[in-house]
Every structure is written in structure tokens, then in C-alpha cells.
């Protein structure tokens, strides 16, 4: 079975390539490397013992994408490629709509033209906006609150329309909660180009001494300790979720399905800091600052649909996420002192 992975050099994509190869799939990666490095794919090859074909293209480059689809016979596409920084999307909405929506549109058109109609799409828990209650179920109202989230919603809607118009499409919308951690080898993990926006990579960089202090955005939320609560999920569990989804898709379950990929448990920012301190043996200096605009108090999944229909559930603990994230951080930061 041949699978095209768009954005396969990125954080979640690279871990998914590892799990796909382990499960016996042949993987081809396309990525424009706007937020990743080609060396990641060498590390995927080291982990799996299999090198994978890579074509550096932007999804919006229709001609080049057509060539890839002419060269390979894909059974399915897993579509990770996209920009993902919420704040950046507020500042540069047109860039986000162009990259995420236009890139996806071109991909789906080329897929349709080549008769490739099995698709797994990287959506996000952000499509639920600020949910009225938790845990969040897949049929909760959808209401994104920023251009990044709206780009995900638009793509979801585009795909629902596509499936309605042509019942040959089998589409899974995977709504990830908060991916964290790294591969246990320490060879691949999250490697943000700029100052991290997300909690986990920021904490890891503070632990390593690369950054001085973590700003904790608010301690006056109605939560266990006043800080924001999220559903952190190990990136390897997430990657395995894609393999399980493919199994279901390729058994010809037609139409569109949406699945929450989360653990079903929430952890606060202070709980995460404590867990990371324990795993790394480092102190994480922090200070409480004002709430970050747009943040919600609590977000965690009801992931029972994925368990029932995909036979998938997250198995790795917060401790494992912290240990693996720290190993990755320590191994990848040779330009910093760990004294
Ligand atoms: P990432 O930035 O590490 O990976 C995305 C990859 O896509 C990068 O390698 C980038 O170079 C590539 N890319 C971007 N635009 C492209 C284009 N036009 N053409 C070709 N390649 C392009 O991000 P990630 O964390 O691995 O996220 C993967 C997907 O999952 C994204 O769609 C993201 O929106 C979604 N997602 C991520 C999170 C998260 O917190 N990491 C949560 C929910 C959903
Ligand atoms: C987690 C918690 C912050 C950084 C975002 C996107 C979402 C999805 C996942 C793509 C919150 C707090 C954070 C910091 C902090 N991505 N925090 N100090 O906001 O839940 O979700 O990433 O789809 O769309 O919105 O994740 O990691 O940024 O924040 O106190 O320096 O950590 O306030 O409570 P978030 P996050």
C-alpha cells in the first residue's frame, strides 16, 4: 500500500511516517520545508531502517503535484501540510488562507483527477472554539475563533461537500488535541523555527537553559489551580491513530468521519511544569502573567468514538511525554550548554 504524506517532514508527519513504515506501508513525502528540515527524513530512515522518497514541493504548485501523482499510484493521502501558529494567523490571515485552504484545494483536485479518494486530514480541536462543556464530543457545535481555526473549518466543510457530491470518497477528519512529546529514540521531535508558541516546546527550552523563564498565561481560570487545562497527547499515540484510521479507511468505509484524538484527561499548566521538572531534573522558572487573548479555560476530549470505531486509544502518560520531550531537547541542542 502506497501512502502520500503531505507535510511529512514536520512534527506530527515525521512520527506518522515512522509508524506507517513500521506497519508495512510504503510512504512518499511531499513538503516545502517551510517549517521543517530535510534531515528529519534521514532520522526517520535511521529509526525505521527504510529510506523514503521525498519530493520538495509546495502543495499550491499544481504542476509539480500532478507529476508526483503521475509517478506513484497512491492508495491514500495523509494531509498534514499547513501553517499552524494561531497568533501568526491573526496577523497574516491571507497567508494562512492561501497556504492552508488553497494548498488543500489543489491537493484535493489533483487527488480527484487521479482517482485517489482516500484521505486523512489533520484537523484540530480548535474547530470547537470555546466549548460549552467538557469533555468535547465530535458532534459539538463548530466555531473557530481565529483565521488558523477557520482555515481548518473551511477545509472540513470543503471535504464534507466533496463526499456528498461523490460517494467514492473515504475521508477521516482527525481533530487533534494538544500534541506533545517526541519519539523515544530522541531522533525526531518538535523543532520550532522561531520562539515556540506552544507550552511544551517552550517548557523544554526553559529546562535546557535556552530560554530564561516561562510565562504562565493566567492563574485565575476556574480550574484546579487557576491555570489553563488541556488534553496533552503523546505524538507517537497520535501517529498510531493515523495508522488505525487508515486501516478503517482502506476497508472502504465511505463518507466523512470526524474523530477526536486526545486522551480524555486534562492537565493544568502548573501540573505540566511539575511533571517536566520531575522528568528532566531541571527547575522550570516561571512567572504568572496576564491571560493570553483567545485562550480558553479548559479543553479535553471525549475520545471514545475513536476507541469504538478505530480501535485506538492513547496509551502514553504525561510522564512519558515529558521524558521523551526532554530526551529530544537534550539530544538536539548541542549548541547549548547543559551544565
Ligand atoms: P509542522 O509545521 O511541524 O508540519 C507541517 C509541515 O507542512 C511542515 O513540514 C511544513 O514545511 C509543511 N508545509 C506547510 N505548508 C506547506 C505547503 N503549502 N506545501 C508543502 N508543505 C507545506 O506542524 P505539525 O505540528 O506537524 O502539524 C501538522 C498538521 O497538524 C498541521 O496541519 C496542523 O495544523 C495540524 N495540527 C497541529 C497541532 C499541533 O499543535 N502541533 C494541533 C492540531 C492540528
Ligand atoms: C496550552 C496551555 C496556555 C504557552 C494551540 C492551538 C490549537 C492547537 C494546539 C493546532 C494554555 C498555556 C502556553 C506559554 C502558557 N494547534 N501556555 N505559557 O493554546 O491549547 O492550543 O495548540 O491546531 O489550535 O490554539 O496550546 O500549548 O499554546 O497552550 O501558560 O508560553 O498552556 O495558556 O493554557 P493551546 P498551547
Amino acid at each position: 500500500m502506497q501512502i502520500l504524506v503531505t507535510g511529512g517532514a514536520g512534527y506530527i508527519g515525521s512520527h506518522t511516517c515512522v509508524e506507517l513504515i513500521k506497519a508495512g506501508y510504503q510512504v512518499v513525502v511531499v513538503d516545502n520545508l517551510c517549517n521543517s528540515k530535510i534531515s528529519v527524513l534521514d532520522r526517520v530512515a535511521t529509526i525505521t531502517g527504510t529510506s523514503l522518497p521525498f519530493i520538495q514541493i509546495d502543495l499550491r504548485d499544481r504542476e509539480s503535484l500532478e507529476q508526483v501523482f503521475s509517478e506513484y499510484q497512491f492508495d491514500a493521502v495523509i494531509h498534514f501540510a499547513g501553517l499552524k501558529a494561531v497568533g501568526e494567523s491573526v496577523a497574516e490571515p491571507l497567508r494562512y488562507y492561501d497556504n492552508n485552504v488553497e494548498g488543500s484545494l489543489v491537493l484535493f483536485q489533483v487527488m480527484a483527477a487521479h482517482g485517489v479518494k482516500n484521505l486523512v486530514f489533520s484537523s484540530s480541536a480548535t474547530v470547537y472554539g470555546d466549548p460549552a462543556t467538557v469533555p468535547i464530543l465530535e458532534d459539538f457545535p463548530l466555531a473557530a475563533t481565529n483565521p488558523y481555526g477557520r482555515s481548518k473549518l473551511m477545509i472540513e466543510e470543503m471535504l464534507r461537500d466533496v463526499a456528498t457530491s461523490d460517494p467514492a470518497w473515504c475521508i477521516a477528519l482527525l481533530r487533534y488535541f494538544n500534541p506533545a512529546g517526541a519519539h523515544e529514540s530522541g531522533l525526531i521531535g518538535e523543532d520550532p523555527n522561531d520562539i515556540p508558541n506552544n507550552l511544551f516546546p517552550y517548557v523544554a527550552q526553559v529546562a535546557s537553559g535556552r530560554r530564561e523563564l516561562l510565562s504562565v498565561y493566567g492563574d485565575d481560570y476556574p480550574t484546579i489551580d487557576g491555570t489553563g487545562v488541556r488534553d496533552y497527547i503523546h505524538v507517537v499515540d497520535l501517529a498510531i491513530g493515523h495508522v488505525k484510521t487508515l486501516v478503517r479507511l482502506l476497508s472502504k468505509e465511505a463518507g466523512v468521519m470526524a474523530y477526536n484524538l486526545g486522551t480524555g484527561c486534562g492537565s493544568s499548566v502548573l501540573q505540566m511544569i511539575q511533571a517536566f521538572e520531575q522528568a528532566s531534573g531541571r527547575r522550570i522558572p516561571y512567572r504568572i502573567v496576564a491571560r493570553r487573548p483567545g485562550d480558553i479555560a479548559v479543553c479535553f476530549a471525549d475520545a471514545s468514538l475513536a476507541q469504538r470505531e478505530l480501535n485506538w486509544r492513547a496509551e502514553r502518560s504525561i510522564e512519558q511525554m515529558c521524558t521523551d520531550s526532554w530526551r529530544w531537547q537534550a539530544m538536539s541542542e548541542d549548541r547549548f550548554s547543559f551544565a
Side-chain angles (χ1 to χ4, degrees):
M1 288 270 180
Q2 187 125 261
I3 312 299
L4 176 68
V5 179
T6 77
Y11 173 44
I12 307 170
S14 56
H15 290 80
T16 302
C17 287
V18 168
E19 297 306 322
L20 286 169
I21 293 168
K22 272 170 63 181
Y25 293 96
Q26 290 173 297
V27 176
V28 176
V29 168
V30 295
D31 198 303
N32 66 1
L33 301 181
C34 71
N35 196 37
S36 52
K37 299 183 185 77
I38 192 162
S39 55
V40 168
L41 296 175
D42 297 332
R43 303 219 186 104
V44 169
T46 304
I47 294 167
T48 59
T50 308
S51 63
L52 58 176
F54 168 66
I55 307 110
Q56 184 174 349
I57 53 164
D58 190 296
L59 285 186
R60 292 162 294 181
D61 176 355
R62 185 185 300 271
E63 219 173 287
S64 301
L65 197 60
E66 285 279 2
Q67 273 174 22
V68 175
F69 274 79
S70 300
E71 192 175 336
Y72 296 93
Q73 298 282 309
F74 297 119
D75 296 288
V77 175
I78 306 185
H79 177 32
F80 293 103
L83 301 174
K84 62 167 181 176
V86 171
E88 195 178 64
S89 81
V90 175
E92 300 176 73
L94 297 180
R95 185 168 151 240
Y96 267 67
Y97 290 124
D98 185 37
N99 192 83
N100 292 2
V101 181
E102 171 70 6
S104 299
L105 177 62
V106 172
L107 173 68
F108 305 153
Q109 286 171 331
V110 174
M111 287 176 68
H114 289 261
V116 181
K117 298 185 177 178
N118 296 316
L119 173 73
V120 180
F121 171 60
S122 295
S123 189
S124 166
T126 199
V127 299
Y128 297 114
D130 191 355
T133 57
V134 283
I136 299 171
L137 281 155
E138 286 83 353
D139 61 2
F140 273 25
L142 302 178
T145 54
N146 56 67
Y148 164 71
R150 274 188 281 279
S151 77
K152 291 289 175 197
L153 260 188
M154 284 177 192
I155 299 163
E156 282 204 2
E157 279 168 10
M158 204 192 308
L159 289 171
R160 278 187 276 270
D161 289 339
V162 166
T164 305
S165 73
D166 178 355
W169 282 82
C170 304
I171 299 169
L173 312 172
L174 298 185
R175 297 177 181 152
Y176 315 148
F177 280 67
N178 288 60
H183 192 264
E184 63 179 8
S185 64
L187 290 174
I188 55 172
E190 188 166 14
D191 186 14
N193 283 342
D194 297 316
I195 301 173
N197 299 298
N198 293 121
L199 180 67
F200 235 85
Y202 204 103
V203 166
Q205 292 190 5
V206 173
S208 77
R210 185 167 166 187
R211 305 205 180 271
E212 233 175 88
L213 191 71
L214 171 75
S215 295
V216 173
Y217 299 134
D219 66 350
D220 56 352
Y221 287 107
T223 62
I224 179 172
D225 55 24
T227 64
V229 166
R230 297 290 184 274
D231 186 340
Y232 297 94
I233 172 167
H234 197 295
V235 65
V236 172
D237 279 328
L238 203 52
I240 293 168
H242 290 73
V243 178
K244 299 264 183 165
T245 305
L246 260 191
V247 170
R248 166 112 192 187
L249 269 194
L250 295 171
S251 68
K252 279 288 157 215
E253 190 73 32
V256 183
M257 307 170 285
Y259 295 106
N260 288 339
L261 295 189
T263 64
C265 300
S267 303
S268 75
V269 177
L270 294 183
Q271 287 171 332
M272 295 308 291
I273 293 174
Q274 200 186 12
F276 209 99
E277 284 186 333
Q278 254 164 25
S280 64
R282 301 282 171 128
R283 218 171 61 76
I284 316 281
Y286 69 87
R287 74 165 171 234
I288 308 290
V289 300
R291 290 181 179 192
R292 184 171 62 177
D295 271 357
I296 58 177
V298 182
C299 175
F300 61 92
D302 181 322
S304 54
L305 186 67
Q307 183 164 2
R308 284 197 307 276
E309 295 198 355
L310 305 177
N311 189 28
W312 171 89
R313 60 183 290 205
E315 285 174 354
R316 289 161 181 76
S317 64
I318 294 286
E319 288 67 34
Q320 185 83 53
M321 287 174 222
C322 295
T323 303
D324 291 339
S325 175
W326 175 239
R327 186 185 301 109
W328 154 249
Q329 186 71 27
M331 281 174 68
S332 61
E333 272 206 26
D334 49 11
R335 56 199 184 281
F336 289 91
S337 153
F338 285 85

